[in-house]
Amino acid sequence: KFARELAVLTLEDPEIKRRLVRAPAAKSVHHAYAGGLLEHSLSVCRILDSLSRHYRLYYGPAISRDLLLLGGLFHDIGKIYELSFERGTEYSKEGQLIGHHVLGCELVDRITQRIPGFPEELRLQTKHLILAHHGKLEFGSPKVPHTIEALLVHYVDDLDSKVNTILEFIGED
């Protein structure tokens, strides 16, 4: 219930929606075009949803589908503020000084404050998915994954970005 409400409130917010449909996922490399962030996030969510069904057959409810889908939606959402994409793609002042991990966590805090009784544990887990999605400290991740959901979000994010990058290279060749 609460995971769905967080996702819906976020996606229905007019400012977030306006930015999300236009934002690239990166300045260069993967999904670096208008709408690339939404395409990447949707692809990651679809893969994570498939993985949640797969692992449910083996491990039952040990892996949370809700957390996986929140991770797919929110892992890069801070990029709507990190990148300036009105004319070309550059890093915004917030992007240069704070970065999309923290900006995404701040967005989660803003939205969850609007949901009465939002569970603190779910808020923390969602923020961990954002903070750990790069997987390693040397890859810019403020935290390494401490949950199975965070690990899966990291690997699927990495996989989807690499597939897109390779297909872009093939398309240019």
Side-chain angles (χ1 to χ4, degrees):
K1 169 192 173 212
F2 286 105
R4 184 181 194 289
E5 192 170 358
L6 172 57
V8 169
L9 276 177
T10 301
L11 293 172
E12 288 181 346
D13 181 281
E15 181 206 351
I16 294 170
K17 187 177 191 177
R18 179 182 64 79
R19 289 172 173 264
L20 189 58
V21 299
R22 297 190 56 237
K27 183 177 175 191
S28 60
V29 191
H30 83 94
H31 300 88
Y33 42 82
L37 177 59
L38 187 57
E39 180 184 314
H40 171 59
S41 297
L42 180 59
S43 178
V44 169
C45 282
R46 286 180 171 158
I47 296 167
L48 289 167
D49 191 36
S50 293
L51 286 174
S52 76
R53 286 193 304 274
H54 171 80
Y55 286 123
R56 194 173 318 127
L57 295 173
Y58 296 96
Y59 304 113
I63 298 173
S64 169
R65 177 178 183 263
D66 286 352
L67 282 176
L68 289 177
L69 294 178
L70 286 175
L73 173 61
F74 284 98
H75 76 281
D76 274 343
I77 202 157
K79 289 185 177 185
I80 67 173
Y81 304 114
E82 178 180 57
L83 298 170
S84 172
F85 41 89
E86 299 306 317
R87 293 189 184 108
T89 303
E90 298 297 330
Y91 285 96
S92 67
K93 183 64 93 176
E94 289 175 302
Q96 292 172 5
L97 298 177
I98 300 172
H100 74 279
H101 294 89
V102 173
L103 294 168
C105 287
E106 289 175 346
L107 187 145
V108 167
D109 284 339
R110 281 195 310 274
I111 301 292
T112 58
Q113 287 173 3
R114 296 171 35 200
I115 303 172
F118 194 90
E120 178 65 9
E121 180 66 19
L122 181 57
R123 186 181 70 82
L124 290 174
Q125 291 288 338
T126 303
K127 289 170 66 172
H128 178 66
L129 295 167
I130 295 167
L131 294 172
H133 79 271
H134 282 186
K136 296 182 178 181
L137 301 177
E138 58 267 30
F139 295 158
S141 208
K143 296 296 290 180
V144 296
H146 287 280
T147 64
I148 190 70
E149 292 86 1
L151 187 68
L152 289 170
V153 168
H154 158 62
Y155 281 126
V156 171
D157 171 47
D158 188 56
L159 173 67
D160 190 67
S161 66
K162 286 179 177 164
V163 167
N164 179 266
T165 300
I166 291 167
L167 291 175
E168 288 289 317
F169 288 149
I170 290 170
E172 292 171 5
D173 190 23

